Amino acid sequence: MTDGTTAVGRASRQPLVAGITAALAVLTLVAVGVVWLMSDRSEGTTGNGTPKDTSAEAGFARDMSTHHQQAVEMSLIVRDRTGDEDVRRLAFDILTAQATERGILQGWLDRWGLDRASEDAPMTWMKHGSDGMEGMEGMEGMDHAYKPHDGSLMPGMATNTELDTLRKAKGKAAEVLYLKLMTAHHEGGVAMAKGAVDLVTDPPEKRLARTMVQAQQSEIQLMADMLKERGARS
């Protein structure tokens, strides 16, 4: 009886997972399409032309793509670990928004003729893009010498151990852990996006970075309220 119930449960989740995956693929294609439609606008390039491989524009696009991908992964995990509609709705909002933004960032890299990956260490663009970052908005408190560890490549990113724990958690425990991990993830993302607002000169990318700051700060407050409702703190 238990095996049969488990099999039915797995079978019922397969269409949901397949649907979400298909939706993310469509969102990515739409985002890339938007980038290409914008390609003829003069504001789509920097004042000196196409961004260079070591530019803040390229570095931010690469690093935030990686950062966003983990947020999508965590959101997909928690949707299968809890039936709470508020958490599932938040997770869906985050994964769709960040999958779309990731597609836009990678579309810009493609349009600029730059690789989506680099041999440079994460956040190297923040050092290349300024002559001393002290006092710059969004950079305060950020560890520019951040050392990747256990799969956490940039500030705010969860470790592989934390992700494994999330995959095993259920119900309220999964909700609380997701909200805590995503709060830290957003805080790291906001700091990076504020850095991009200060450093990049490409108008569309600067606007996207500002949008990220606003949206993620709003979600940080929402998650603080949701944690409080569950008797936990971020």
Side-chain angles (χ1 to χ4, degrees):
M1 180 65 70
T2 301
D3 291 344
T5 301
T6 301
V8 170
R10 289 175 178 171
S12 66
R13 287 197 299 269
Q14 287 178 352
L16 174 62
V17 174
I20 292 175
T21 301
L24 291 176
V26 171
L27 284 170
T28 299
L29 288 173
V30 170
V32 173
V34 169
V35 171
W36 283 103
L37 287 174
M38 294 171 60
S39 62
D40 290 334
R41 300 182 182 181
S42 60
E43 66 176 5
T45 59
T46 65
N48 295 324
T50 301
K52 296 180 179 179
D53 191 61
T54 57
S55 66
E57 284 79 5
F60 176 69
R62 290 172 179 140
D63 284 355
M64 192 56 82
S65 290
T66 299
H67 210 268
H68 273 18
Q69 180 57 33
Q70 189 184 73
V72 170
E73 180 183 0
M74 289 195 293
S75 297
L76 284 170
I77 291 172
V78 79
R79 281 178 61 83
D80 196 36
R81 307 308 298 166
T82 179
D84 184 271
E85 287 304 317
D86 289 337
V87 173
R88 287 170 60 84
R89 188 180 302 111
L90 172 66
F92 184 76
D93 288 346
I94 289 175
L95 74 89
T96 51
Q98 298 212 6
T100 300
E101 291 172 352
R102 185 170 184 269
I104 291 173
L105 292 167
Q106 293 190 338
W108 279 331
L109 289 168
D110 290 344
R111 179 160 62 84
W112 296 332
L114 303 176
D115 292 335
R116 293 185 177 185
S118 171
E119 294 182 358
D120 288 340
M123 300 196 305
T124 301
W125 58 276
M126 298 184 82
K127 298 177 182 179
H128 287 173
S130 64
D131 298 324
M133 297 170 287
E134 296 80 4
M136 295 186 67
E137 182 183 359
M139 307 247 185
E140 297 146 0
M142 174 178 269
D143 183 1
H144 300 287
Y146 186 83
K147 296 180 180 179
H149 62 286
D150 192 19
S152 177
L153 304 177
M154 286 165 270
M157 290 187 68
T159 64
N160 290 331
T161 300
E162 289 170 331
L163 291 177
D164 287 340
T165 301
L166 181 61
R167 292 187 184 97
K168 296 173 183 176
K170 295 181 180 179
K172 182 179 176 180
E175 297 162 20
V176 169
L177 180 57
Y178 171 76
L179 292 170
K180 287 185 175 182
L181 292 177
M182 191 58 73
T183 295
H185 200 275
H186 272 19
E187 288 172 347
V190 166
M192 290 171 61
K194 284 184 175 180
V197 170
D198 287 328
L199 296 176
V200 305
T201 58
D202 180 66
E205 191 170 16
K206 188 183 287 285
R207 284 199 300 270
L208 180 59
R210 288 197 182 103
T211 297
M212 291 178 185
V213 171
Q214 295 169 355
Q216 293 189 37
Q217 285 180 331
S218 177
E219 287 173 345
I220 287 172
Q221 182 57 57
L222 173 61
M223 289 187 288
D225 293 339
M226 293 174 73
L227 281 167
K228 185 176 181 180
E229 291 172 359
R230 290 161 178 77
R233 292 183 297 176
S234 57

